[in-house]
């Protein structure tokens, strides 16, 4: 659709080693292999419904989840030059403490090795520029269930030594108590000190009761938890960080929020207003410190947004909240949301919807389109 | 701030009769009168914490909640010509079935009488135009807990006979099972048939667990439930209506969504994408009907949005999702979010923030500003 550089910063993989680990498990998350049929991936507790036969539980997973050649074909089909791949949810959140470090190192080494191998095969002498080939970089996973925060800190530092790693991906649970947990301070400190981008991504959604209970929720398949639960989970997580003063203590943090911030750009004004009216905060005579910096300042200093919002309405809020087009980055969410009729060479509507929204939102500003499609990612993540 | 007509379509009252009813109750919602201090209003179950002394529970309520002269002074202070007042949450949702009809009629007659009395006093011969005076209209309350839906239907029809009533306000619980409840079809039918605008407003928020539990939630006062819980409640409610095909069966419904749609304008694209990818729906080979009309079509045909979003980012998403500025209407949420330092004649930051956002979002389009501030409301609600 464009001859400009296109970088996909929201694209997931489950490495084979990770799939094998999920196969060895019987509790969520796990993989079940029906006889003579596609494997089933059960990652949401709402999908692990005993009333559903095991062979039909969760979602089918095909090689697009683990075969990097399928990813490369997807990239070529959609004109994507560079993908910054990340482990998909639920990452390593569920691991027993003693296995966390080993698995983080294994997965991150796998990611580095995949990127190195692919890039070497595509352009052995590294003579072509980024927009003339398909290239991979990666966000690493963290051993958040490890028994001590310094294990997480060490992995953040080790990732800086891997040539194709460009930051880390994390869910909203942190060390198990959310992202306003003071025990995370060493992790924020290490991310700030190493200038590592954190890609914050939802997984847990909202309690069934938020949607009127499991019966109501399941009536509409995955629409309510994916369309609403995911974005609000991200919004709650980053708002808790704000309210707890994380961005005051770590003003150099760089956080990329999935799905254009969940709903943060839209709700930023309301959050800011509620903070200014909250009597519990010290600034208003209360005894809870409360945030020192404004939501807008954080959005325009610490936060980056992907452009995975499927429409110009959301995109305009994102750009306005971010103070311009230079903090947004194109993404696909591949391999999730494949077309329902799987013809081999068709473009994915979930991808073209986002392409079209970016072009429509900036019809008179070609520079903004190029920046969001790839220029920003190349600059922010130092891709070359 | 402007010489144009300014209409506030989001402004609440608790009539004295309603306050007295709350005083007679001991369970949420209720009013507690401390000795020699301001009454306390306890409307959220999260506020009814037995570990908090009764005299400090909930929020203080002053006459701005029930004295219409305070509302009129607020209007003059902010240049508002016309207020469309509505009963504040939780409306009549909690009433025993046998009392619902009586209370709905009493409250709605109270509202009609207040509007008639004020408008008569302000302009006895009704010779001045709307933007030269302060005028009141109202949205009525519905007896949703009544034992039969036809009692609700009858009240909708009766409201059309009251000269100052301009629609109804409703929460997200409906008849108790959410707004996708098929038992609501007679109510939707009556609203459509009488061409009555429905103002959909949040109250219940999200379960504490969505915010990490009550302890986390309370740490930040009301910020999380008010800034995030309220908007998502609205979004979930209207999305359930969409998914259940309410807008397919009642294509003439007119719904005004509080707080610029909660988060609907921002998430509309993601909702639409998730619907298109949901295998459970008939269009995709499943056995659940699923919605027939697109989210964008509903946003631009059935839905109106207030402009209570406290920033240009949200406002731009709202206008883009609505397909233009002619479906947005200014509001204040008075008497909620008063300034913390209560000097008698100061403007409220919660109001000026919204004024400024409207002006900033449309700096080159004066017509859009005038439309949002009052022109749209006058046209849509037939105010004169």
């Amino acid at each position: 659709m464009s001859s400009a550089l296109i970088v996909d910063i929201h694209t997931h993989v489950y490495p084979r080693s990770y799939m094998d680990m999920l196969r060895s498990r019987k509790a969520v998350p796990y993989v079940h292999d029906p006889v003579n049929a596609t494997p089933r991936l059960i990652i949401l507790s709402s999908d692990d419904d005993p009333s559903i036969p095991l062979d039909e539980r969760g979602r089918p997973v095909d090689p697009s989840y683990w075969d990097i050649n399928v990813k490369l074909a997807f990239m070529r089909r959609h004109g994507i030059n560079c993908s910054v791949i990340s482990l998909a949810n639920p990452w390593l959140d569920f691991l027993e403490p003693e296995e966390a470090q080993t698995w983080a190192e294994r997965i991150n080494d796998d990611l580095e090795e995949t990127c190195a191998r692919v890039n070497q095969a595509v352009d052995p002498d590294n003579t072509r520029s980024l927009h003339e080939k398909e290239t991979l970089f990666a966000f690493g996973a963290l051993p958040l269930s490890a028994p001590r925060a310094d294990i997480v800190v060490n992995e953040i530092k080790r990732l800086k030594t891997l040539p194709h790693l460009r930051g880390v991906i994390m869910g909203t649970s942190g060390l198990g108590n959310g992202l306003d947990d003071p025990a995370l301070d060493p992790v924020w400190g290490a991310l700030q000190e190493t200038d590592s981008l954190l890609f914050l991504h939802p997984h847990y959604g909202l309690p069934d009761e938020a949607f009127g209970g499991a019966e109501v929720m399941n009536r509409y398949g995955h629409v309510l938890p994916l369309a609403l639960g995911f974005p609000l989970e991200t919004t709650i997580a980053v708002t808790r960080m704000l309210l707890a003063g994380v961005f005051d203590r770590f003003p150099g943090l760089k956080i990329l929020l999935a799905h254009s911030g969940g709903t943060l750009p839209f709700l930023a004004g309301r959050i800011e207003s509620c903070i200014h009216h909250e009597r519990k905060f010290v600034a208003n005579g209360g005894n809870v410190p409360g945030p020192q910096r404004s939501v807008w300042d954080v959005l325009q200093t610490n936060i980056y947004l992907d452009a995975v919002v499927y429409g110009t309405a959301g995109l305009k809020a994102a750009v306005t909240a971010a103070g311009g087009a230079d903090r947004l980055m194109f993404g696909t969410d591949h391999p999730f949301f494949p077309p329902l009729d799987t013809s081999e060479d068709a473009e994915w509507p979930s991808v073209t919807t986002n392409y079209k929204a970016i072009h429509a939102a900036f019809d008179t500003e070609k520079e903004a389109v190029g920046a969001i499609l790839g220029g920003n990612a190349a600059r922010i993540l130092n891709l070359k």
Side-chain angles (χ1 to χ4, degrees), chain A:
Chain A
M1 275 183 93
S2 169
S3 60
L5 172 70
I6 298 184
V7 179
D8 180 359
I9 53 82
H10 190 156
T11 179
H12 300 296
V13 291
Y14 290 119
R16 283 177 209 273
S17 53
Y18 187 85
M19 288 293 292
D20 288 340
M21 183 242 287
L22 292 186
R23 278 192 176 86
S24 72
R25 293 173 52 87
K26 298 292 168 210
V28 173
Y30 66 96
V31 165
H32 165 71
D33 280 303
V35 180
N36 295 327
T38 314
R40 310 290 300 190
L41 176 68
I42 299 96
I43 56 170
L44 297 171
S45 49
S46 59
D47 288 338
D48 195 31
D49 181 344
S51 73
I52 301 171
L54 198 51
D55 286 7
E56 296 165 22
R57 225 174 279 177
R59 70 189 82 186
V61 280
D62 64 19
S64 66
Y65 286 76
W66 60 82
D67 183 343
I68 206 68
N69 289 316
V70 178
K71 178 84 71 191
L72 290 165
F74 167 84
M75 290 168 64
R76 279 190 291 273
R77 188 182 310 162
H78 294 91
I80 295 163
N81 305 104
C82 178
S83 288
V84 187
I85 58 176
S86 51
L87 185 61
N89 51 307
W91 314 284
L92 309 174
D93 286 11
F94 53 89
L95 290 176
E96 294 301 320
E98 63 277 11
E99 355 168 73
Q101 180 181 355
T102 310
W103 270 107
E105 291 174 359
R106 186 177 305 170
I107 294 291
N108 292 332
D109 289 345
D110 267 10
L111 291 169
E112 169 60 29
E113 189 276 324
T114 298
C115 295
R117 178 169 45 80
V118 164
N119 295 0
Q120 165 71 16
V122 165
D123 184 10
D125 304 318
N126 197 18
T127 53
R128 286 187 287 157
S129 66
L130 267 189
H131 69 272
E132 296 171 326
K133 58 187 177 184
E134 282 80 43
T135 309
L136 299 182
F137 291 89
F139 294 122
L142 294 180
L144 292 166
S145 62
R148 299 187 319 277
D150 66 290
I151 295 173
V152 185
V153 167
N154 288 342
E155 186 62 11
I156 291 170
K157 292 178 177 167
R158 194 183 75 89
L159 288 172
K160 296 300 278 190
T161 69
L162 303 183
H164 295 88
L165 271 287
R166 285 298 182 273
V168 299
I169 187 167
M170 193 194 275
T172 63
S173 147
L175 304 176
N177 295 308
L179 301 188
D180 51 1
D181 180 0
L184 274 167
D185 276 9
V187 177
W188 305 136
L191 290 169
Q192 177 174 272
E193 186 193 324
T194 57
D195 197 30
S196 298
L197 184 79
L198 166 67
F199 182 16
L200 179 60
H201 193 288
H203 166 70
Y204 299 92
L206 294 175
D208 292 357
E209 295 69 38
F211 301 110
E215 191 275 315
V216 172
M217 200 176 68
N218 293 333
R219 197 182 297 163
Y220 310 116
H222 291 96
V223 176
L224 290 170
L226 280 184
L228 309 184
F230 257 37
L232 201 80
E233 179 194 347
T234 306
T235 315
I236 291 173
V238 69
T239 304
R240 286 172 63 181
M241 291 177 72
L242 271 162
L243 296 176
V246 172
F247 295 103
D248 300 317
R249 295 198 299 287
F250 302 96
L253 268 185
K254 291 181 176 176
I255 304 203
L256 167 63
L257 297 180
H259 314 116
S260 292
T263 63
L264 183 66
F266 190 82
L267 293 178
R270 187 172 172 88
I271 296 167
E272 185 73 359
S273 179
C274 285
I275 289 170
H276 281 294
H277 287 86
E278 178 52 56
R279 290 191 182 278
K280 220 158 192 167
F281 293 148
V282 166
N284 303 326
N287 54 19
V288 174
Q292 304 303 303
R293 295 171 55 203
S294 83
V295 185
W296 304 114
D297 178 28
V298 171
L299 267 161
Q300 295 168 16
T301 307
N302 303 96
I303 288 180
Y304 300 91
L305 304 168
D306 71 25
V308 185
V309 70
Y310 308 97
T312 52
L315 209 54
K316 286 193 178 183
V319 169
T320 307
D326 62 349
R327 307 183 74 81
L328 267 77
M329 298 182 260
F330 175 75
T332 64
D333 223 340
H334 182 264
F336 299 99
F337 303 109
L340 294 187
D341 59 338
T342 48
S343 45
E344 276 297 310
D345 51 1
E347 288 194 342
W348 288 26
S350 58
V351 178
T352 54
T353 301
N354 280 312
Y355 271 136
K356 284 178 195 157
I358 294 167
H359 283 278
F362 300 97
D363 50 356
T364 57
E365 302 164 70
K366 288 267 179 291
E367 267 185 49
V369 173
I372 294 176
L373 288 180
N376 292 339
R379 182 186 78 250
I380 294 162
L381 298 174
N382 190 28
L383 308 177
K384 52 193 173 192

